[in-house]
Amino acid sequence: MEMNIALLPGDGIGPEVVDQAVKVVKAIGEKFGHQITFETALTGAAAIEAVGVPYPDETHEVCLRSDAVLFGAIGDPKYDNDPSAKVRPEQGLLLMRKKLGLFCNVRPTFTFPSLVDKSPLKRERIEGTDLVFLRELTGGIYFGEPRGRSEQGDRAFDTCVYNVYEIERLARMGFEFAQKRRKLLTCVDKANVLATSRLWRETVQRLAPEYPDVKVEYEFVDAVAMRLIQWPKAYDVLITENLFGDILTDEASVISGSMGLMPSASLGSDTKLFEPIHGSYPQAAGKDIANPLATVLSAAMMFEYAFDLQEEADAISAAVNRSLEEGIVTEDLAGDGGKAYKTSEVGDWLVKQIMS
Ligand code: IPM
Ligand code: MN
């Protein structure tokens, strides 16, 4: 197959983790006989420095003409520490999601057998967890208007808005995912307080009869925050709005053992995008110590979701599993006394595994 992949390394550790994923993708291309070309473009603080905006039109063009986008991370402390900054790197990520129509962010949570004892949660609670969040990605409080400050600057406001069509398209994806899995769908909301949540619940209730094989549960977000780490095996597919999904998926990463392991796929109307759920981890940037596995696993999701190539995706996951079993891991997973490998060494090791 011919594949043209857009690479948006972004900020912080983004470039170095994307480098490892590219090595792995090239190895897969060689092994399975695919012609893969890459085109790199600017996003985030790196784009602001170069051209003044965090998601340049040129970058959008590159994404549109590609078959899939592999994204690193966005964010820079320079902007985090300056709340008055008018242009922020994160705006680039949000604009990119919006302009590419990526309304559904798929964030799976599963455990790696070799890491179960590294989680602060008890083995019997988490072993065998296999759930997936579908986080709505282009609506809600992240995008709602009005937003801003009062003239005096002593009041700030954000607006959470959802239209039925935005909820419906995400919910339908949730039902379809559930049908292919264990047929349990949990609608996560705060319908006891928020009008938007009541619209979510109403919409999901209206659609449910169309999917009689799927059992639907409705649960408040605060309860899910608790039950998710108490008994994660109770869940299969969870659908939720943008901000709740952002928060709960960081929490869910504790089940897997590290933020550095969690991949995601963003799906919608145009080109699909694949990105780790972690941020730009500026403290580690350029040090060759960041965990590349979340990005490598995002590349595995790319083969599965963008190209429908399950064998290629499985080959990547298998190599990652072996690296974890054999302790070829970066410092976040090495633990006391364990050897910490460099980011690039982990990438090279994965390539060797795939080619062997
Ligand atoms: C994520 C990130 C982003 C988000 C930030 C960087 C804007 O935390 O992808 O989860 O909040 O969506
Ligand atoms: Mn987040």
Side-chain angles (χ1 to χ4, degrees):
M1 193 187 277
E2 277 182 27
M3 309 172 192
N4 177 22
I5 296 168
L7 298 176
L8 310 187
D11 303 323
I13 59 168
E16 43 203 294
V17 293
V18 167
D19 277 351
Q20 310 318 310
V22 168
K23 285 185 204 167
V24 166
V25 169
K26 282 184 177 158
I28 291 286
E30 223 172 284
K31 183 167 174 142
F32 291 86
H34 301 299
Q35 281 73 54
I36 308 178
T37 52
F38 299 94
E39 209 174 347
T40 305
L42 288 166
T43 43
I48 298 176
E49 312 272 274
V51 295
V53 290
Y55 185 59
D57 290 343
E58 161 68 13
T59 299
H60 186 54
E61 292 303 316
V62 170
C63 291
L64 285 181
R65 66 171 172 256
S66 70
D67 301 311
V69 182
L70 196 56
F71 179 89
I74 260 183
D76 189 297
K78 196 171 114 189
Y79 300 89
D80 295 342
N81 300 333
D82 176 13
S84 68
K86 290 269 177 303
V87 187
R88 312 182 64 77
E90 288 80 3
Q91 289 166 346
L93 182 59
L94 302 187
L95 193 62
M96 176 178 77
R97 289 171 177 170
K98 193 80 173 174
K99 285 181 79 170
L100 290 173
L102 302 167
F103 65 83
C104 178
N105 187 218
V106 184
R107 295 189 167 186
T109 299
F110 41 85
T111 50
F112 298 88
S114 51
L115 292 184
V116 169
D117 292 320
K118 290 221 166 87
S119 170
L121 304 171
K122 289 200 181 86
R123 169 180 275 274
E124 66 267 24
R125 297 290 175 129
I126 59 171
E127 197 169 33
T129 296
D130 176 18
L131 58 88
V132 59
F133 276 95
L134 302 191
R135 167 189 175 193
E136 200 291 325
L137 204 57
T138 52
I141 203 163
Y142 272 61
F143 292 93
E145 297 287 346
R147 55 174 54 226
R149 284 278 185 109
S150 62
E151 250 165 57
Q152 290 86 348
D154 58 351
R155 206 163 62 88
F157 44 91
D158 295 285
T159 308
C160 185
V161 186
Y162 269 107
N163 294 291
V164 167
Y165 78 90
E166 295 174 290
I167 303 167
E168 183 165 335
R169 65 187 178 183
L170 194 275
R172 285 197 186 281
M173 281 210 162
F175 280 109
E176 285 159 22
F177 264 74
Q179 281 180 324
K180 291 190 205 118
R181 295 170 47 99
R182 299 194 307 280
K183 302 186 173 48
L184 173 64
L185 182 71
T186 307
C187 174
V188 184
D189 61 35
K190 188 73 187 170
N192 50 348
V193 178
L194 302 176
T196 43
S197 281
R198 284 193 284 276
L199 188 62
W200 269 78
R201 206 172 264 220
E202 198 181 294
T203 306
V204 175
Q205 279 169 347
R206 177 170 55 77
L207 298 176
E210 294 181 41
Y211 305 88
D213 52 333
V214 176
K215 178 168 186 260
V216 189
E217 288 180 344
Y218 302 87
E219 201 172 335
F220 296 139
V221 60
D222 46 354
V224 174
M226 181 191 66
R227 215 152 68 91
L228 181 62
I229 46 169
Q230 201 177 40
W231 202 243
K233 283 180 268 193
Y235 297 106
D236 180 16
V237 180
L238 301 97
I239 51 172
T240 192
E241 61 103 78
N242 206 340
L243 182 61
F244 297 163
D246 178 47
I247 298 168
L248 291 176
T249 53
D250 266 31
E251 187 190 350
S253 76
V254 179
I255 299 166
S256 295
S258 168
M259 274 283 269
L261 290 169
M262 307 297 287
S264 85
S266 298
L267 316 176
S269 37
D270 289 308
T271 320
K272 300 178 171 68
L273 181 139
F274 302 85
E275 58 169 313
I277 84 161
H278 62 64
S280 59
Y281 191 16
Q283 303 84 335
K287 294 191 183 149
D288 205 17
I289 56 171
N291 189 341
L293 295 183
T295 314
V296 170
L297 289 169
S298 298
M301 289 187 87
M302 175 180 82
F303 281 105
E304 180 181 346
Y305 287 84
F307 303 114
D308 204 15
L309 294 170
Q310 192 62 48
E311 222 182 305
E312 284 78 345
D314 290 347
I316 297 178
S317 308
V320 166
N321 269 321
R322 273 199 298 278
S323 79
L324 294 172
E325 273 156 27
E326 296 188 23
I328 317 297
V329 292
T330 43
E331 62 176 29
D332 54 313
L333 293 174
D336 293 339
K339 175 170 166 33
Y341 287 78
K342 298 281 179 200
T343 310
S344 53
E345 290 174 329
V346 172
D348 293 339
W349 193 90
L350 292 171
V351 167
K352 266 201 220 124
Q353 278 297 307
I354 288 167
M355 296 314 287
S356 68

